[in-house]
Amino acid sequence: MKKLLTPLFLLLILIVSACGNDNIKTEDNDSKDKGSKTITYQSETGPVKVPSHPKRVVVLSGYTGDVLDLGVNVVGVDTWSKNNPTFKKQLKDVEEVSEDNLEKIIELNPDLIIALSTVKNVDKLKEIAPTVTYTWGKVDYLTQHVEIGKLLNKEKEAKAWTDDFKKRAETVGNDIRAKIGEKSTVSVIEAYGKDLYVYGNNWARGTEILYQTMKLNMPEKVKKDALKAGYYTLSSEVLPEYAGDYVILSKYSDSNTSFQNTDTYKNIPAVKNGHVFEMQGEGASFTDPITLEKQLAFFKKAFLEN
Protein backbone atom coordinates (compact mmCIF):
# COMPACT_ATOMS: atom_id res chain seq x y z
CA MET A 1 0.00 0.00 0.00
CA LYS A 2 2.83 2.32 0.87
CA LYS A 3 4.44 1.57 -2.50
CA LEU A 4 1.23 2.60 -4.29
CA LEU A 5 0.81 5.79 -2.26
CA THR A 6 4.35 6.99 -2.76
CA PRO A 7 4.14 7.58 -6.55
CA LEU A 8 0.75 9.25 -6.14
CA PHE A 9 2.18 11.48 -3.43
CA LEU A 10 5.15 12.43 -5.60
CA LEU A 11 2.86 13.21 -8.53
CA LEU A 12 0.79 15.46 -6.29
CA ILE A 13 3.94 17.35 -5.20
CA LEU A 14 4.99 17.87 -8.84
CA ILE A 15 1.56 19.28 -9.76
CA VAL A 16 1.63 21.66 -6.80
CA SER A 17 5.19 22.73 -7.69
CA ALA A 18 4.21 23.35 -11.31
CA CYS A 19 1.32 25.52 -10.20
CA GLY A 20 3.69 27.39 -7.96
CA ASN A 21 6.11 28.00 -10.84
CA ASP A 22 3.26 29.27 -13.02
CA ASN A 23 2.41 31.78 -10.32
CA ILE A 24 6.03 32.94 -10.18
CA LYS A 25 6.10 33.46 -13.98
CA THR A 26 2.88 35.43 -13.83
CA GLU A 27 4.24 37.62 -11.09
CA ASP A 28 7.40 38.18 -13.14
CA ASN A 29 5.31 39.14 -16.16
CA ASP A 30 3.23 41.45 -14.02
CA SER A 31 6.42 43.08 -12.76
CA LYS A 32 7.60 43.61 -16.32
CA ASP A 33 4.28 45.17 -17.27
CA LYS A 34 4.50 47.49 -14.31
CA GLY A 35 8.05 48.40 -15.27
CA SER A 36 7.01 49.16 -18.84
CA LYS A 37 4.72 51.93 -17.65
CA THR A 38 7.72 54.27 -17.77
CA ILE A 39 10.65 54.78 -20.11
CA THR A 40 13.82 56.80 -19.63
CA TYR A 41 14.10 59.66 -22.09
CA GLN A 42 17.53 61.23 -22.63
CA SER A 43 16.65 64.92 -22.53
CA GLU A 44 18.91 67.96 -22.95
CA THR A 45 19.22 68.21 -19.18
CA GLY A 46 19.73 64.50 -18.52
CA PRO A 47 17.65 61.32 -18.23
CA VAL A 48 13.99 61.74 -17.30
CA LYS A 49 11.55 58.97 -16.43
CA VAL A 50 8.36 59.56 -18.39
CA PRO A 51 5.19 57.52 -19.03
CA SER A 52 5.63 54.97 -21.81
CA HIS A 53 2.14 55.85 -23.04
CA PRO A 54 1.28 59.35 -21.78
CA LYS A 55 -2.43 60.02 -21.53
CA ARG A 56 -2.60 63.62 -20.30
CA VAL A 57 0.01 65.97 -21.75
CA VAL A 58 0.41 69.68 -21.03
CA VAL A 59 2.38 71.59 -23.67
CA LEU A 60 3.86 74.97 -22.69
CA SER A 61 5.63 75.60 -25.99
CA GLY A 62 5.35 75.50 -29.76
CA TYR A 63 5.42 71.70 -29.86
CA THR A 64 1.67 71.20 -29.55
CA GLY A 65 1.26 70.15 -33.18
CA ASP A 66 3.97 67.51 -32.81
CA VAL A 67 2.06 65.88 -29.95
CA LEU A 68 -1.28 66.14 -31.75
CA ASP A 69 0.16 64.67 -34.95
CA LEU A 70 1.43 61.64 -33.04
CA GLY A 71 -2.05 60.98 -31.67
CA VAL A 72 -1.29 61.68 -28.01
CA ASN A 73 -3.94 63.30 -25.83
CA VAL A 74 -3.31 66.95 -24.93
CA VAL A 75 -5.14 68.44 -21.92
CA GLY A 76 -3.50 71.86 -21.64
CA VAL A 77 -1.63 74.25 -23.97
CA ASP A 78 -0.03 77.69 -23.97
CA THR A 79 -1.90 80.71 -25.30
CA TRP A 80 -0.10 80.71 -28.68
CA SER A 81 -1.16 77.13 -29.34
CA LYS A 82 -4.70 77.71 -28.12
CA ASN A 83 -5.13 80.69 -30.44
CA ASN A 84 -3.51 78.99 -33.42
CA PRO A 85 -6.22 78.64 -36.11
CA THR A 86 -4.45 75.55 -37.50
CA PHE A 87 -5.24 73.65 -34.29
CA LYS A 88 -8.71 75.12 -33.69
CA LYS A 89 -10.62 71.84 -34.05
CA GLN A 90 -8.12 69.65 -32.20
CA LEU A 91 -7.87 72.06 -29.25
CA LYS A 92 -11.54 72.97 -29.03
CA ASP A 93 -11.98 71.37 -25.60
CA VAL A 94 -8.38 71.76 -24.39
CA GLU A 95 -7.60 74.17 -21.54
CA GLU A 96 -5.37 77.19 -21.99
CA VAL A 97 -2.66 77.23 -19.32
CA SER A 98 0.54 79.10 -18.50
CA GLU A 99 3.68 78.47 -16.51
CA ASP A 100 2.51 81.13 -14.06
CA ASN A 101 -0.75 79.36 -13.23
CA LEU A 102 0.48 76.19 -11.58
CA GLU A 103 -2.84 75.56 -9.84
CA LYS A 104 -4.62 75.18 -13.17
CA ILE A 105 -1.97 72.77 -14.41
CA ILE A 106 -2.34 70.72 -11.21
CA GLU A 107 -6.11 70.55 -11.77
CA LEU A 108 -5.52 69.01 -15.19
CA ASN A 109 -3.58 66.16 -13.58
CA PRO A 110 -0.99 65.79 -16.38
CA ASP A 111 1.29 62.78 -16.59
CA LEU A 112 3.79 64.68 -18.80
CA ILE A 113 4.71 68.34 -19.34
CA ILE A 114 6.61 69.60 -22.41
CA ALA A 115 8.08 73.11 -22.38
CA LEU A 116 10.80 75.35 -23.76
CA SER A 117 14.10 75.57 -21.89
CA THR A 118 13.27 79.20 -21.05
CA VAL A 119 10.15 78.22 -19.08
CA LYS A 120 9.75 79.68 -15.60
CA ASN A 121 8.95 77.57 -12.52
CA VAL A 122 10.52 74.47 -14.09
CA ASP A 123 11.32 72.95 -10.67
CA LYS A 124 7.71 73.39 -9.58
CA LEU A 125 6.47 71.91 -12.85
CA LYS A 126 8.64 68.84 -12.23
CA GLU A 127 6.81 68.36 -8.92
CA ILE A 128 3.50 68.17 -10.79
CA ALA A 129 4.59 65.71 -13.51
CA PRO A 130 7.69 64.59 -15.42
CA THR A 131 8.82 67.69 -17.32
CA VAL A 132 10.95 67.75 -20.46
CA THR A 133 12.26 71.00 -21.95
CA TYR A 134 13.76 71.77 -25.35
CA THR A 135 15.93 74.64 -26.56
CA TRP A 136 14.44 76.22 -29.66
CA GLY A 137 16.64 75.65 -32.69
CA LYS A 138 19.14 73.36 -30.94
CA VAL A 139 18.37 70.67 -33.51
CA ASP A 140 16.90 71.04 -37.01
CA TYR A 141 13.16 71.15 -37.44
CA LEU A 142 12.70 67.53 -38.56
CA THR A 143 15.02 66.13 -35.89
CA GLN A 144 12.96 68.02 -33.32
CA HIS A 145 9.86 66.06 -34.31
CA VAL A 146 11.76 62.78 -34.03
CA GLU A 147 12.93 63.82 -30.54
CA ILE A 148 9.35 64.39 -29.46
CA GLY A 149 8.52 61.04 -31.03
CA LYS A 150 11.15 59.42 -28.79
CA LEU A 151 9.71 61.20 -25.76
CA LEU A 152 6.21 59.94 -26.53
CA ASN A 153 7.45 56.43 -27.35
CA LYS A 154 6.47 56.98 -30.99
CA GLU A 155 9.86 57.38 -32.63
CA LYS A 156 9.01 55.01 -35.48
CA GLU A 157 5.93 57.02 -36.48
CA ALA A 158 7.80 60.33 -36.18
CA LYS A 159 10.71 59.09 -38.30
CA ALA A 160 8.38 57.73 -40.98
CA TRP A 161 6.70 61.13 -41.31
CA THR A 162 9.95 63.14 -41.39
CA ASP A 163 11.49 60.88 -44.05
CA ASP A 164 8.39 61.13 -46.22
CA PHE A 165 7.98 64.88 -45.73
CA LYS A 166 11.60 65.59 -46.59
CA LYS A 167 11.31 63.66 -49.86
CA ARG A 168 8.12 65.45 -50.85
CA ALA A 169 9.48 68.88 -49.94
CA GLU A 170 12.69 68.24 -51.88
CA THR A 171 10.66 67.26 -54.94
CA VAL A 172 8.58 70.44 -54.74
CA GLY A 173 11.79 72.43 -54.22
CA ASN A 174 13.31 70.95 -57.36
CA ASP A 175 10.19 71.89 -59.32
CA ILE A 176 10.23 75.44 -57.93
CA ARG A 177 13.89 76.00 -58.79
CA ALA A 178 13.28 74.65 -62.28
CA LYS A 179 10.49 77.17 -62.73
CA ILE A 180 11.94 80.33 -61.12
CA GLY A 181 15.61 79.69 -61.91
CA GLU A 182 18.45 78.40 -59.76
CA LYS A 183 19.72 81.88 -58.96
CA SER A 184 16.41 83.44 -57.94
CA THR A 185 16.15 84.60 -54.34
CA VAL A 186 13.31 84.29 -51.84
CA SER A 187 12.65 86.42 -48.76
CA VAL A 188 10.35 85.65 -45.85
CA ILE A 189 9.00 88.89 -44.37
CA GLU A 190 6.39 89.31 -41.65
CA ALA A 191 4.07 92.12 -40.66
CA TYR A 192 3.29 91.81 -36.95
CA GLY A 193 1.63 94.69 -35.11
CA LYS A 194 3.45 97.83 -36.17
CA ASP A 195 6.67 96.01 -36.98
CA LEU A 196 8.25 94.31 -39.98
CA TYR A 197 10.67 91.40 -39.74
CA VAL A 198 12.76 89.40 -42.19
CA TYR A 199 13.76 85.84 -41.28
CA GLY A 200 16.76 83.53 -41.63
CA ASN A 201 16.57 79.80 -42.26
CA ASN A 202 15.34 78.49 -38.91
CA TRP A 203 12.69 80.80 -37.51
CA ALA A 204 9.47 79.08 -38.68
CA ARG A 205 7.19 80.91 -41.16
CA GLY A 206 8.21 78.19 -43.61
CA THR A 207 11.87 79.23 -43.58
CA GLU A 208 13.08 75.71 -42.75
CA ILE A 209 11.23 74.27 -45.74
CA LEU A 210 12.30 76.97 -48.20
CA TYR A 211 15.95 77.27 -47.26
CA GLN A 212 16.97 74.04 -45.53
CA THR A 213 15.04 71.46 -47.52
CA MET A 214 14.15 73.13 -50.82
CA LYS A 215 17.57 74.84 -51.02
CA LEU A 216 16.13 78.12 -52.29
CA ASN A 217 18.41 81.16 -52.20
CA MET A 218 18.34 83.90 -49.60
CA PRO A 219 19.21 87.51 -50.60
CA GLU A 220 22.72 88.52 -49.46
CA LYS A 221 21.37 91.32 -47.29
CA VAL A 222 19.11 88.86 -45.46
CA LYS A 223 22.04 86.46 -45.02
CA LYS A 224 24.10 89.22 -43.49
CA ASP A 225 21.53 90.53 -41.02
CA ALA A 226 19.09 87.70 -40.28
CA LEU A 227 20.81 84.36 -40.83
CA LYS A 228 22.75 84.20 -37.58
CA ALA A 229 20.18 85.82 -35.28
CA GLY A 230 17.22 84.14 -36.96
CA TYR A 231 15.35 87.37 -37.64
CA TYR A 232 15.94 91.07 -38.21
CA THR A 233 13.66 94.05 -37.60
CA LEU A 234 13.03 96.29 -40.61
CA SER A 235 11.63 99.70 -41.35
CA SER A 236 9.41 100.06 -44.40
CA GLU A 237 11.97 102.41 -45.95
CA VAL A 238 14.66 99.70 -46.21
CA LEU A 239 12.27 96.92 -47.20
CA PRO A 240 13.41 96.91 -50.86
CA GLU A 241 16.96 96.03 -49.73
CA TYR A 242 15.74 92.77 -48.17
CA ALA A 243 13.14 91.74 -50.73
CA GLY A 244 14.18 88.84 -52.93
CA ASP A 245 12.96 88.05 -56.42
CA TYR A 246 10.09 86.33 -54.61
CA VAL A 247 8.63 87.32 -51.24
CA ILE A 248 6.62 85.28 -48.77
CA LEU A 249 4.70 87.89 -46.77
CA SER A 250 3.37 86.59 -43.48
CA LYS A 251 0.61 88.93 -42.28
CA TYR A 252 -1.16 88.95 -38.94
CA SER A 253 -4.79 90.03 -39.13
CA ASP A 254 -4.21 93.02 -36.81
CA SER A 255 -0.90 94.14 -38.32
CA ASN A 256 -0.29 97.60 -39.72
CA THR A 257 -0.06 97.06 -43.46
CA SER A 258 0.01 100.72 -44.50
CA PHE A 259 3.52 100.11 -45.89
CA GLN A 260 1.87 98.24 -48.76
CA ASN A 261 0.29 101.51 -49.92
CA THR A 262 3.61 103.34 -50.26
CA ASP A 263 5.53 103.89 -53.49
CA THR A 264 8.58 102.33 -51.83
CA TYR A 265 6.74 99.04 -51.53
CA LYS A 266 4.94 99.23 -54.86
CA ASN A 267 8.22 99.73 -56.71
CA ILE A 268 9.86 96.59 -55.33
CA PRO A 269 10.45 94.29 -58.34
CA ALA A 270 8.81 91.30 -56.62
CA VAL A 271 5.68 93.40 -56.05
CA LYS A 272 5.63 94.68 -59.63
CA ASN A 273 6.06 91.16 -61.00
CA GLY A 274 3.33 89.64 -58.84
CA HIS A 275 5.86 87.57 -56.94
CA VAL A 276 4.61 88.37 -53.43
CA PHE A 277 2.72 85.49 -51.83
CA GLU A 278 0.73 86.43 -48.73
CA MET A 279 0.48 83.88 -45.94
CA GLN A 280 -1.61 84.01 -42.77
CA GLY A 281 0.59 85.11 -39.88
CA GLU A 282 -1.42 83.45 -37.14
CA GLY A 283 -0.04 79.94 -36.71
CA ALA A 284 2.95 80.47 -39.02
CA SER A 285 5.40 80.55 -36.11
CA PHE A 286 5.14 76.77 -35.55
CA THR A 287 7.24 73.98 -37.11
CA ASP A 288 5.21 70.87 -36.32
CA PRO A 289 3.96 68.36 -38.94
CA ILE A 290 0.45 69.82 -39.09
CA THR A 291 1.80 73.32 -39.76
CA LEU A 292 4.54 72.13 -42.11
CA GLU A 293 2.08 70.19 -44.26
CA LYS A 294 -0.05 73.33 -44.51
CA GLN A 295 2.95 75.44 -45.47
CA LEU A 296 4.23 72.95 -48.04
CA ALA A 297 0.81 72.96 -49.73
CA PHE A 298 0.86 76.78 -49.69
CA PHE A 299 4.33 76.99 -51.29
CA LYS A 300 3.46 74.41 -53.92
CA LYS A 301 0.36 76.35 -54.94
CA ALA A 302 2.01 79.79 -54.74
CA PHE A 303 5.11 78.99 -56.78
CA LEU A 304 3.88 76.29 -59.15
CA GLU A 305 0.20 76.94 -59.75
CA ASN A 306 0.24 80.68 -60.34
Side-chain angles (χ1 to χ4, degrees):
M1 194 70 180
K2 284 182 183 177
K3 287 180 180 178
L4 286 171
L5 285 172
T6 301
L8 288 172
F9 184 66
L10 289 170
L11 183 62
L12 196 60
I13 290 172
L14 287 169
I15 292 169
V16 171
S17 297
C19 290
N21 287 336
D22 283 344
N23 287 336
I24 291 169
K25 285 178 183 175
T26 302
E27 287 171 7
D28 286 345
N29 288 337
D30 287 345
S31 297
K32 286 177 184 175
D33 287 340
K34 286 175 184 174
S36 70
K37 287 182 180 177
T38 62
I39 59 172
T40 300
Y41 174 70
Q42 298 298 328
S43 75
E44 292 178 8
T45 56
V48 182
K49 273 195 172 183
V50 298
S52 56
H53 302 289
K55 300 282 194 295
R56 301 181 62 80
V57 182
V58 165
V59 189
L60 298 171
S61 64
Y63 305 118
T64 299
D66 298 274
V67 181
L68 291 173
D69 185 69
L70 289 168
V72 176
N73 186 46
V74 175
V75 294
V77 295
D78 63 291
T79 185
W80 281 89
S81 296
K82 183 66 177 177
N83 294 321
N84 185 339
T86 307
F87 308 145
K88 189 174 181 179
K89 287 183 180 178
Q90 294 100 319
L91 299 182
K92 181 185 172 192
D93 301 316
V94 175
E95 290 287 331
E96 182 181 326
V97 294
S98 79
E99 59 207 73
D100 297 314
N101 194 342
L102 298 173
E103 292 79 9
K104 195 166 185 179
I105 295 175
I106 292 169
E107 288 173 11
L108 293 174
N109 191 29
D111 55 8
L112 178 65
I113 298 171
I114 303 173
L116 286 170
S117 57
T118 53
V119 72
K120 293 183 287 184
N121 298 322
V122 67
D123 291 332
K124 291 180 180 177
L125 289 171
K126 288 177 180 178
E127 292 174 8
I128 299 171
T131 301
V132 173
T133 60
Y134 294 101
T135 300
W136 176 269
K138 187 168 185 177
V139 297
D140 72 75
Y141 74 119
L142 296 179
T143 301
Q144 181 64 69
H145 183 60
V146 174
E147 276 303 309
I148 292 173
K150 289 178 185 176
L151 170 63
L152 301 175
N153 205 11
K154 288 180 175 285
E155 182 182 2
K156 185 179 177 182
E157 294 92 326
K159 192 72 170 62
W161 179 83
T162 57
D163 289 346
D164 177 62
F165 180 82
K166 187 177 180 182
K167 285 179 185 175
R168 288 186 286 118
E170 285 175 343
T171 299
V172 174
N174 291 337
D175 292 342
I176 290 173
R177 292 199 313 278
K179 181 178 179 181
I180 70 175
E182 291 288 342
K183 293 183 179 180
S184 291
T185 57
V186 179
S187 298
V188 179
I189 294 168
E190 184 171 82
Y192 176 73
K194 295 179 181 179
D195 298 314
L196 284 171
Y197 302 92
V198 65
Y199 293 95
N201 68 353
N202 67 341
W203 215 258
R205 286 88 180 168
T207 56
E208 291 84 357
I209 303 174
L210 294 168
Y211 299 129
Q212 292 184 33
T213 305
M214 291 184 176
K215 309 296 184 189
L216 299 181
N217 298 312
M218 186 183 294
E220 288 302 318
K221 190 74 172 170
V222 179
K223 270 186 198 176
K224 180 185 173 186
D225 294 332
L227 187 58
K228 187 175 180 181
Y231 68 95
Y232 185 73
T233 307
L234 302 175
S235 66
S236 57
E237 290 77 18
V238 300
L239 192 55
E241 299 175 35
Y242 295 85
D245 299 309
Y246 292 79
V247 174
I248 304 298
L249 181 59
S250 169
K251 289 170 64 176
Y252 277 78
S253 56
D254 59 351
S255 61
N256 181 354
T257 57
S258 59
F259 69 91
Q260 288 185 285
N261 298 321
T262 65
D263 288 338
T264 301
Y265 177 80
K266 290 177 181 178
N267 286 321
I268 293 173
V271 176
K272 284 182 164 185
N273 296 327
H275 292 168
V276 176
F277 307 131
E278 294 191 3
M279 177 172 69
Q280 183 180 26
E282 287 84 355
S285 60
F286 288 68
T287 56
D288 58 89
I290 300 172
T291 303
L292 293 169
E293 290 286 6
K294 181 179 178 181
Q295 290 173 342
L296 180 59
F298 172 80
F299 295 144
K300 185 177 180 180
K301 182 177 181 181
F303 282 100
L304 300 177
E305 298 175 19
N306 283 323

